[in-house]
Amino acid sequence: MASGKPVVAVTCTAPVNIAVIKYWGKRDEKLILPINSSLSVTLHQDQLKTTTTAAISRDFTEDRIWLNGCEEDIRQPRLQACLKEIRRLACKRRSGSPEDPLPLSHSCKVHIASENNFPTAAGLASSAAGYACLAYTLARVYGVESDLSEVARRGSGSACRSLYGGFVEWQMGERADGKDSIARQVAPESHWPELRVLILVVSAGKKLTGSTVGMQTSVETSPLLRFRAKEVVPARMVEMARCVRERDFQAFGRLTMQDSNQFHATCLDTFPPISYLSDTSRRIIHLVHRFNALHGHTKVAYTFDAGPNAVIFTLDETVAEFVAAVRHSFPPESNGDKFLQGLPVEPALLSDELKAVLGEDPAPGGIKYIIATQVGPGPQVLDDPGAHLLGPDGLPKPAA
Amino acid sequence: MASGKPVVAVTCTAPVNIAVIKYWGKRDEKLILPINSSLSVTLHQDQLKTTTTAAISRDFTEDRIWLNGCEEDIRQPRLQACLKEIRRLACKRRSGSPEDPLPLSHSCKVHIASENNFPTAAGLASSAAGYACLAYTLARVYGVESDLSEVARRGSGSACRSLYGGFVEWQMGERADGKDSIARQVAPESHWPELRVLILVVSAGKKLTGSTVGMQTSVETSPLLRFRAKEVVPARMVEMARCVRERDFQAFGRLTMQDSNQFHATCLDTFPPISYLSDTSRRIIHLVHRFNALHGHTKVAYTFDAGPNAVIFTLDETVAEFVAAVRHSFPPESNGDKFLQGLPVEPALLSDELKAVLGEDPAPGGIKYIIATQVGPGPQVLDDPGAHLLGPDGLPKPAA
């Protein structure tokens, strides 16, 4: 494969995002158009990110992709949809401008390598970060400068929200061709510096209903989901954007919890019913409400996606006390030193009052570990050639 | 207390009912008027019933009540509401007809004794049977012949459905005074002789949100509940009545499960969220869906009220196989001979195919016991004086 012909390689990183107004249900399965708008918080890449290298060369005889070091089938429909769309945009752009700044044509085959810096075991929506990173990296290597919402969305709906940092809304749009179903930033990552995010990774249970199949069944069978999408979400989008703009944690936290609960309610209204929350998830919900009740206002908020893991939002001043409360209710089972990952958290003593409130049956090992993080920026280009996941030969570098 | 003055005593029994279209939420807390109509199946009193004796005498100086042998506070608002209403009706009736057939006036004080033939531990809605029995017995002793829906309803909303046997609907009504919020029989107990009911009593967990408080919070905070009551239930009432009339078990079972799931979905949409289903409840739901999937159609259906216990509907031909499946998935922990109560159930062997489907992790002791029963008649008057729970002195007889 090594040859004299040039290989153009670009490496980028992209973040994970967590929805506070949930996306559940498509109005168009092929174009991946949602039945309602959604709003998310972009998490910091210091803790959670996907890194992707895309390389093009006239030497390459076929498109290829490696995920976390293993080659995957490039013919997956969603990968093909992203590649097709990016090449369409690249082609369009060229025809738009006479001079071609790139040495290579958009017709070149591409090699792609991608990896996450977090265990997939964490059950976090890695596909969002993955497809956002793919779209962003392919755009750079093929010289595409237009909006990438559609490219990312065709891979995974929520991926379009990982194209921006801070607070991002995915407008559902109205057009049948989906051209107006795009992501836009509501506020940058610098807007709310006190906001913190704790990911409580719950010990994995049995296999869950995949979200693609799950949301399709919900759309077909849940009358409550149709009502939610049409009558409830629009007002919640407006209110959530206000909460973010005004940094109103009270309202932000309450609405975040209500929307997570409503999403899971529509899963239960699906037939057959879908349950993503485990008893541990419910214990966390109960813990949060008791913690807030003791303080007399909303200091902590939870949200759950299509799995039992909790994502907690709170302010920096509350992190230490809440983490201590979690440790008290879910005593770490082994190597407690690795129980807390990510941003440093000061140890804190619990008041006897709080201990009493949390008193009831602790659940040792219910939570595997906590990742402490914060709001972060959107995708980044890595200029250091050493960062490339593909070598000069266009094949994955041996793991360092 | 013993004296020459006559004591008139009446003893009646009343059944438990299980809603297949759920009642959740009041539009009038005082009159106990629901936000939607509901439909229930009356269970047979051979397995589950409340027995109540009401005695009146000029000797009695105050109203008194004993529940399961212990005296309770007669001043409870709901008890008072029932007594007040029955006396109002008795008074009205007398004023209607000049001659008074009864030896005693409706102004007489009453002694009431009531007991259930099933453990309250079963977590079954004993209040429905209890208040239905109270209303029915008081009506007999005070000579009231009008509709008793309101008397029973004032004690516990769903109690009005226990005033009839077979299949019963509680029409929500429209009037502010609740006069048109009444129960009526959709079909008698003889209508669907093959129908069977299995109550799966789940090992009790932590204390749950009471249904009175729970439904109030739901009405105040769940947008999905308001939608359900207004837009979903009316059509479901019509369809459920059709399923019963035509003995269409396929549709009856499916709609029963969907309505149970939707009720619990509105609990989850409540803020703070309410969870009545435990992991064992979810295992039962999963078991039922796998059982039906294997058979290719709905042979078994579940419904859950404000607790983790499952009530299963099926046809006589399926009882033995399903009970064997439950035994396989939830091996009885101790004295397996008492695991099955009520109607006799033949032992059955599970096909290897079914065993394979149910294969995944059994949960020993998850289900404490099963009560097998069927559709039954409404309240009954017991003519045998030996059945009285109160002696000639108007006090509870010593337990036999």
Side-chain angles (χ1 to χ4, degrees):
Chain A
M1 180 69 76
S3 91
K5 304 229 187 91
V7 170
V8 174
V10 178
T11 299
C12 305
T13 65
V16 166
N17 76 80
I18 300 294
V20 288
I21 297 295
K22 301 296 189 187
Y23 153 55
W24 193 253
K26 304 182 182 74
R27 67 176 199 272
D28 185 314
E29 292 284 334
K30 182 170 158 294
L31 297 177
I32 307 195
L33 302 177
I35 60 173
N36 61 258
S37 299
S38 53
L39 198 149
S40 61
V41 176
T42 297
L43 303 189
H44 204 290
Q45 297 176 52
D46 284 354
Q47 283 74 44
L48 303 160
K49 72 171 178 227
T50 295
T51 304
T52 300
T53 297
I56 54 177
S57 163
R58 296 200 191 286
D59 279 344
F60 297 165
T61 56
E62 55 178 349
D63 295 326
R64 298 177 70 182
I65 186 166
W66 292 264
L67 299 183
N68 297 311
C70 308
E71 180 154 20
E72 302 278 330
D73 186 350
I74 192 80
R75 291 166 303 179
Q76 295 168 53
R78 291 183 165 204
L79 278 174
Q80 287 300 315
C82 293
L83 281 167
K84 192 152 167 261
E85 179 64 15
I86 203 77
R87 284 172 168 143
R88 190 183 64 76
L89 292 171
C91 180
K92 196 166 122 204
R93 180 173 172 286
R94 295 251 188 342
S95 56
S97 63
E99 81 292 346
D100 185 339
L102 281 188
L104 296 168
S105 143
H106 56 278
S107 62
C108 280
K109 299 300 183 188
V110 64
H111 284 192
I112 302 159
S114 185
E115 58 186 36
N116 300 327
N117 71 336
F118 55 93
T120 45
L124 296 160
S126 55
S127 64
Y131 279 107
C133 206
L134 178 68
Y136 196 81
T137 311
L138 289 175
R140 289 295 170 290
V141 82
Y142 281 116
V144 170
E145 283 158 5
S146 49
D147 181 88
L148 298 174
S149 289
E150 178 161 10
V151 186
R153 202 188 67 223
R154 295 295 290 271
S156 173
S158 55
C160 65
R161 296 188 314 237
S162 279
L163 290 171
Y164 302 93
F167 304 81
V168 183
E169 70 176 12
W170 174 14
Q171 300 165 335
M172 65 177 289
E174 290 167 1
R175 292 176 51 169
D177 65 5
K179 295 301 176 200
D180 57 351
S181 186
I182 58 171
R184 62 170 279 277
Q185 187 177 66
V186 173
E189 57 272 26
S190 58
H191 173 70
W192 200 345
E194 304 79 15
L195 195 64
R196 293 291 179 274
V197 181
L198 300 170
I199 299 161
L200 310 188
V201 179
V202 168
S203 305
K206 60 173 169 15
K207 203 191 162 307
L208 296 153
T209 311
S211 58
T212 304
V213 174
M215 67 174 71
Q216 192 168 355
T217 312
S218 293
V219 169
E220 290 162 0
T221 64
S222 172
L224 299 187
L225 177 61
R226 291 188 283 273
F227 172 73
R228 160 181 165 72
K230 200 163 167 302
E231 305 296 336
V232 180
V233 173
R236 287 188 171 183
M237 285 294 292
V238 173
E239 168 64 2
M240 187 59 87
R242 181 200 68 76
C243 295
V244 169
R245 271 198 316 275
E246 300 176 8
R247 298 185 207 84
D248 179 350
F249 189 81
Q250 291 289 305
F252 172 85
R254 184 184 166 98
L255 186 53
T256 293
M257 293 187 277
Q258 288 176 313
D259 206 67
S260 174
N261 294 336
Q262 187 168 89
F263 151 54
H264 290 282
T266 63
C267 289
L268 189 48
D269 188 50
T270 299
F271 194 80
I274 302 170
S275 297
Y276 289 123
L277 303 177
S278 69
D279 274 0
T280 300
S281 311
R282 269 176 293 280
R283 281 170 182 273
I284 294 167
I285 288 172
H286 195 49
L287 166 63
V288 167
H289 285 292
R290 281 177 302 169
F291 186 92
N292 289 336
L294 183 76
H295 286 289
H297 61 287
T298 303
K299 295 193 76 171
V300 180
Y302 55 77
T303 187
F304 296 82
D305 285 335
N309 295 335
V311 174
I312 301 290
F313 289 98
T314 188
L315 299 176
D316 53 1
E317 68 196 13
T318 310
V319 170
E321 185 188 19
F322 184 72
V323 167
V326 170
R327 270 186 190 278
H328 182 84
S329 300
F330 302 92
E333 223 157 28
S334 59
N335 57 7
D337 54 326
K338 294 199 64 186
F339 183 66
L340 193 58
Q341 304 176 18
L343 296 176
V345 175
E346 294 299 315
L349 288 176
L350 292 179
S351 66
D352 295 341
E353 198 182 4
L354 186 52
K355 275 188 192 152
V357 173
L358 305 181
E360 72 171 37
D361 56 335
I367 293 177
K368 274 195 300 194
Y369 55 91
I370 300 176
I371 302 171
T373 183
Q374 58 193 326
V375 187
Q380 312 282 314
V381 179
L382 302 185
D383 298 324
D384 168 18
H388 292 328
L389 301 176
L390 296 168
D393 58 356
L395 297 175
K397 291 178 180 172
Chain B
M1 180 70 75
S3 90
K5 304 228 187 92
V7 169
V8 175
V10 178
T11 299
C12 305
T13 65
V16 166
N17 75 79
I18 300 294
V20 288
I21 297 296
K22 300 297 189 187
Y23 152 55
W24 193 253
K26 305 180 182 73
R27 67 177 198 272
D28 185 313
E29 291 285 333
K30 183 170 158 297
L31 297 177
I32 307 194
L33 303 176
I35 60 173
N36 61 258
S37 298
S38 53
L39 198 149
S40 60
V41 176
T42 297
L43 303 190
H44 204 291
Q45 297 176 53
D46 284 354
Q47 283 73 45
L48 304 160
K49 71 170 178 229
T50 294
T51 304
T52 300
T53 297
I56 54 177
S57 163
R58 297 201 191 285
D59 279 344
F60 297 166
T61 56
E62 56 177 350
D63 295 326
R64 297 177 71 183
I65 187 167
W66 292 264
L67 300 182
N68 297 311
C70 307
E71 180 152 20
E72 302 278 331
D73 186 352
I74 193 80
R75 291 167 303 179
Q76 293 168 53
R78 292 184 164 204
L79 278 174
Q80 286 301 313
C82 292
L83 281 168
K84 191 151 168 264
E85 179 63 15
I86 203 79
R87 283 172 168 143
R88 188 183 65 75
L89 293 171
C91 180
K92 194 166 125 206
R93 178 172 173 285
R94 292 240 187 356
S95 57
S97 62
E99 81 291 346
D100 185 339
L102 283 186
L104 296 169
S105 143
H106 56 278
S107 62
C108 279
K109 298 300 183 189
V110 65
H111 285 193
I112 302 159
S114 186
E115 60 186 35
N116 300 326
N117 71 335
F118 54 93
T120 45
L124 296 159
S126 55
S127 64
Y131 279 107
C133 207
L134 178 68
Y136 196 81
T137 311
L138 287 175
R140 289 295 170 291
V141 83
Y142 281 116
V144 170
E145 282 159 5
S146 51
D147 181 88
L148 298 174
S149 287
E150 178 160 11
V151 186
R153 202 187 69 223
R154 296 294 292 271
S156 174
S158 56
C160 65
R161 296 188 314 237
S162 279
L163 290 171
Y164 301 94
F167 303 83
V168 183
E169 72 176 11
W170 173 14
Q171 301 165 335
M172 67 177 287
E174 291 166 1
R175 291 176 51 167
D177 64 6
K179 295 301 175 200
D180 58 350
S181 187
I182 58 171
R184 61 171 278 278
Q185 187 177 67
V186 173
E189 57 271 28
S190 58
H191 172 70
W192 200 345
E194 305 80 15
L195 195 64
R196 293 292 179 273
V197 181
L198 299 170
I199 299 162
L200 277 42
V201 178
V202 168
S203 306
K206 62 173 169 11
K207 201 192 163 305
L208 297 153
T209 311
S211 58
T212 302
V213 174
M215 67 173 70
Q216 193 168 354
T217 312
S218 294
V219 169
E220 290 161 2
T221 64
S222 171
L224 299 188
L225 177 61
R226 291 187 285 272
F227 172 74
R228 160 181 165 72
K230 198 162 168 304
E231 305 295 336
V232 179
V233 172
R236 287 187 172 184
M237 285 295 291
V238 174
E239 168 64 3
M240 187 60 86
R242 181 200 66 78
C243 294
V244 170
R245 271 198 317 276
E246 300 175 8
R247 297 186 208 84
D248 178 349
F249 188 81
Q250 290 289 306
F252 172 84
R254 184 183 166 97
L255 186 53
T256 293
M257 293 187 277
Q258 288 176 314
D259 206 67
S260 175
N261 294 336
Q262 185 167 90
F263 152 54
H264 290 283
T266 64
C267 289
L268 189 48
D269 187 50
T270 299
F271 194 80
I274 301 170
S275 297
Y276 288 122
L277 303 177
S278 68
D279 273 0
T280 300
S281 310
R282 270 176 293 279
R283 280 170 181 273
I284 294 167
I285 288 172
H286 195 49
L287 165 63
V288 167
H289 285 292
R290 282 177 301 169
F291 187 93
N292 289 336
L294 184 75
H295 286 289
H297 61 286
T298 303
K299 294 194 77 171
V300 181
Y302 54 78
T303 187
F304 295 83
D305 285 334
N309 295 336
V311 175
I312 301 290
F313 289 98
T314 188
L315 299 177
D316 53 0
E317 68 197 13
T318 310
V319 170
E321 184 188 20
F322 184 73
V323 166
V326 170
R327 269 186 190 277
H328 183 84
S329 300
F330 302 92
E333 224 158 28
S334 58
N335 57 5
D337 54 324
K338 293 198 66 186
F339 183 66
L340 194 56
Q341 304 176 17
L343 296 176
V345 175
E346 293 299 315
L349 289 175
L350 292 178
S351 67
D352 295 341
E353 198 182 5
L354 187 52
K355 275 188 193 151
V357 172
L358 305 182
E360 72 171 38
D361 56 334
I367 293 177
K368 274 195 299 195
Y369 55 90
I370 300 176
I371 303 171
T373 182
Q374 58 192 328
V375 187
Q380 311 283 314
V381 179
L382 301 185
D383 298 323
D384 169 18
H388 292 328
L389 302 177
L390 295 169
D393 59 355
L395 297 175
K397 292 178 181 172

